[in-house]
Amino acid sequence: MLAKVIALATIIDDIYDAYGSYDEHMCFTEALERWDVSAIDELPPYMKSCYLAILGVYAEMEEELAKRGESYRVDYAKNEMKKLTRAYFEEAKWSHSASYILTFEEYMKVALDSSGYMMAATTSLVGIGDNLINKNVMDWVTHESLIVQASTVIARLMDDMAGHEFEQERGHEPSAVECYMKQHGTSKEEVLLELQKLVSNAWKEVNRQCLYPREVPMLILMRVLNLARVIELLYKDGEAFTHSTTKLKNIITSILVDPVP
């Protein structure tokens, strides 16, 4: 379930980043809010297949979980996908208003949601076949507990630090690096040091929550932690998610060739 949803989110991100007009982006966002197959009639042809794929994947999730009486979990996942799409649309608006200069705080308010971490963390819990997952746990993750907030900061800032130059070359919306530089009049090197401090502090919060689990079992915390570990792997030494034929390809190949027992 998580793999399919992440694949869809990657496609949706590209739709907002690289394709479509403002009006088309608005139509796609509104179609996701409606979450109804009839909304497809209002979409341009290239968006229709993606929209149908989204509805199909979540319908599969509901069908599977209905067998266990747990289909309510999918509603949480849908809401996070809608929130992600709304954030993508807000960022698309920035690209259509190039003269507007964002502060770092204004950027982060939207960009934390557009990182996709909340969507991934929520979806990662949906399919767990364990009686530890209930509505309280789903409320916990979607209400952005401290460990989820900290992990989202890690995801957003590490992504931006690793990929901001490549994104700027493609003419995409600003990143945390550009916003911080313009607001504070500092160099790129100084900004990267400041953002790395924020990432380090976020990791301290993640560790603190794992050392003293109070709200949810460690099984749940490990899902959140492991997603943050993936982010660390992807962005620590460059942008391995976008440039997936480099380090990431070698890592995946090594697992397939020599799987962990």
Side-chain angles (χ1 to χ4, degrees):
M1 293 178 185
L2 180 60
K4 289 181 178 181
V5 170
I6 289 176
L8 287 172
T10 304
I11 295 170
I12 297 168
D13 187 19
D14 281 352
I15 286 176
Y16 283 92
D17 273 354
Y19 300 96
S21 64
Y22 176 86
D23 289 339
E24 289 173 342
H25 292 151
M26 180 183 292
C27 286
F28 195 82
T29 307
E30 291 175 350
L32 259 294
E33 290 292 338
R34 288 174 56 185
W35 207 281
D36 190 300
V37 69
S38 65
I40 194 173
D41 296 332
E42 302 171 14
L43 298 175
Y46 76 95
M47 287 181 171
K48 290 182 178 180
S49 58
C50 180
Y51 186 70
L52 287 176
I54 295 168
L55 298 186
V57 165
Y58 284 85
E60 288 177 5
M61 294 165 63
E62 288 178 323
E63 182 179 356
E64 179 65 27
L65 290 168
K67 300 173 185 176
R68 313 198 310 245
E70 297 166 347
S71 58
Y72 72 89
R73 299 181 188 179
V74 183
D75 290 334
Y76 288 90
K78 285 181 181 179
N79 288 335
E80 290 305 319
M81 176 57 81
K82 291 179 182 179
K83 185 192 300 183
L84 177 65
T85 306
R86 288 195 294 270
Y88 285 159
F89 183 45
E90 286 300 313
E91 291 183 342
K93 290 179 183 178
W94 298 340
S95 66
H96 292 288
S97 304
S99 60
Y100 183 68
I101 299 176
L102 292 164
T103 66
F104 176 73
E105 290 75 19
E106 287 173 331
Y107 169 79
M108 289 295 286
K109 186 176 180 180
V110 174
L112 289 173
D113 286 340
S114 71
S115 72
Y117 191 91
M118 272 297 304
M119 183 276 299
T122 302
T123 308
S124 74
L125 301 179
V126 169
I128 293 181
D130 195 298
N131 59 12
L132 290 176
I133 306 294
N134 52 42
K135 289 187 176 181
N136 290 336
V137 170
M138 299 306 296
D139 286 337
W140 170 85
V141 69
T142 54
H143 290 166
E144 301 185 24
S145 64
L146 289 176
I147 189 173
V148 175
Q149 290 181 39
S151 298
T152 303
V153 169
I154 293 168
R156 179 72 278 159
L157 295 184
M158 291 197 70
D159 183 353
D160 282 8
M161 286 190 289
H164 76 100
E165 290 182 348
F166 175 71
E167 295 295 332
Q168 290 302 301
E169 290 174 2
R170 297 202 297 175
H172 285 189
E173 64 276 348
S175 74
V177 178
E178 280 74 36
C179 290
Y180 199 101
M181 286 174 61
K182 291 176 181 178
Q183 182 178 350
H184 298 283
T186 54
S187 67
K188 182 181 73 172
E189 290 71 23
E190 291 172 318
V191 171
L192 292 177
L193 287 174
E194 289 301 314
L195 298 186
Q196 187 56 57
K197 289 178 183 177
L198 295 177
V199 171
S200 297
N201 289 336
W203 270 117
K204 290 176 183 178
E205 186 60 49
V206 171
N207 290 334
R208 187 179 299 113
Q209 295 299 313
C210 289
L211 285 170
Y212 305 102
R214 294 185 177 91
E215 297 177 293
V216 295
M218 195 62 195
L219 170 69
I220 310 304
L221 295 178
M222 286 302 297
R223 286 294 175 114
V224 178
L225 171 61
N226 283 341
L227 286 170
R229 286 169 167 167
V230 171
I231 298 299
E232 180 84 10
L233 177 68
L234 290 176
Y235 298 118
K236 184 177 182 180
D237 300 312
E239 226 283 27
F241 185 79
T242 298
H243 305 291
S244 57
T245 58
T246 53
K247 179 180 73 171
L248 185 59
K249 180 179 179 180
N250 294 332
I251 291 170
I252 294 173
T253 301
S254 68
I255 294 172
L256 295 174
V257 173
D258 186 22
V260 177

